[in-house]
Structure formats: structure tokens, C-alpha cells
Amino acid sequence: MPALSIEPEVSETDASRWDADTAIAILHAAHYKRLVRTSVLLVRDLATAEEVVQDAYVGLYTRWARLRDPDAAAGYLRQAVVNGSRSALRRRGTAQRAEPILRAIPEIAPDPAAEISTRRGVLEALAALPERQREVLVLRYYGDLSEAEIADALGVSRGAVKSYASRGAAALRPILESLR
């Protein structure tokens, strides 16, 4: 006997029939963790990433009634998270430029775990890439998106996605090999 469920089974293809509350609840359950992970890799800060994703969901909620294609809501969220991450990085850069030149740099204790050290190296290598290359690689390998989905999320062509991915991977290859 199958388990009884309080919620009726709903697939994302039924989005045009949802109200805003139902839509956000279903989309949150299906995409929240992946969107936060994507944003963390772009902004390198969990708290900021969670705010970016929350803002994307709030934006979707307030605009739900005006969406032309409710079935594209997941793509809208991805694009909103990428754009929100870019904005967060711009704000962070502006704030850092406004800080006094003389500031104390906290000492970071060396991390004894090789795995954490390697992970940190990968994140630093990603951070050193140009913005578009980093975004494409994060969406491709951490977000597990196709070239078409990445192109839609970033507003570029599939050819540009391939180019950014190729250049980014080529730039990362020597750094990642040195971490082995």
C-alpha cells in the first residue's frame, strides 16, 4: 500500500495553475539548496548567498501574477541568483575600496586537513578567474546546468558559454594539478 501524503502530488509542469504561495513553497523545496550552493561559490560567503537567494524568492513571489511563463520560474530564480550575486560582489568591492588603507588583517590559522586545504585552493582558484568564466564553471560543474540553461541564466549565447568554460578550465588546470 503506498504511503498517504497530505500534499497532492504536484510537478513543476503544473506551474501555470499555482498561486504565489504554492509556487514559492514548491520551488523552494526543489531548488533552494542548489541556488544557495551556486551563490556561495560566486560570492564566497554563506550568509550573503542565503540573502541573495532569499531576495530572488521574494522577487519571484511579488511578481508571480505578472509572469508570462510560470513554467520558467526555476530559470528566473537561477538568473536572479546570478545577478544578485554579481550585485553583492559589486557592493562588497565598493565597501572595500571605501575602507581605510590601514586595517588589521586577521591571522588565519593553517588548516591541518588536506581536504579542506585542497577545497580552499579550488575556491581561491575559482575566485581568481574573470567573472564570466567563474559563473559559467560554477553553474556547469556545481549547479549541474546544461549549456543552454547557463546561456539563459547569463544572457549569453551557447557559443559564449563554451568559450568561457574552455578558457576557465584551461586557466584552472595548472592550479588544480599543483594541488594534487
Side-chain angles (χ1 to χ4, degrees), residues 68-107:
R68 289 187 195 142
D69 184 9
D71 293 328
Y76 169 84
L77 283 170
R78 271 193 303 273
Q79 188 169 6
V81 167
V82 170
N83 290 339
S85 296
R86 285 181 188 154
S87 294
L89 287 173
R90 276 193 300 272
R91 285 190 303 272
R92 184 183 296 161
T94 301
Q96 287 173 347
R97 284 189 298 276
E99 284 182 6
I101 294 175
L102 298 175
R103 60 181 184 260
I105 299 173
E107 288 190 34

Side-chain angles (χ1 to χ4, degrees), residues 25-40:
I26 291 170
L27 291 167
H28 186 273
H31 301 285
Y32 179 78
K33 287 181 182 179
R34 178 176 282 166
L35 292 171
V36 169
R37 184 177 38 214
T38 298
S39 186
V40 163

Side-chain angles (χ1 to χ4, degrees), residues 17 19 29 39 41-42 46-47 49 51-52 66 70 72 78-79 96-98 102 104-105 108 129 150:
R17 292 185 280 166
D19 65 354
S39 186
L41 290 166
L42 296 173
L46 178 61
E51 286 181 29
V52 166
R66 296 187 306 247
R78 271 193 303 273
Q79 188 169 6
Q96 287 173 347
R97 284 189 298 276
L102 298 175
I105 299 173
I108 299 173
L129 291 176
I150 296 168

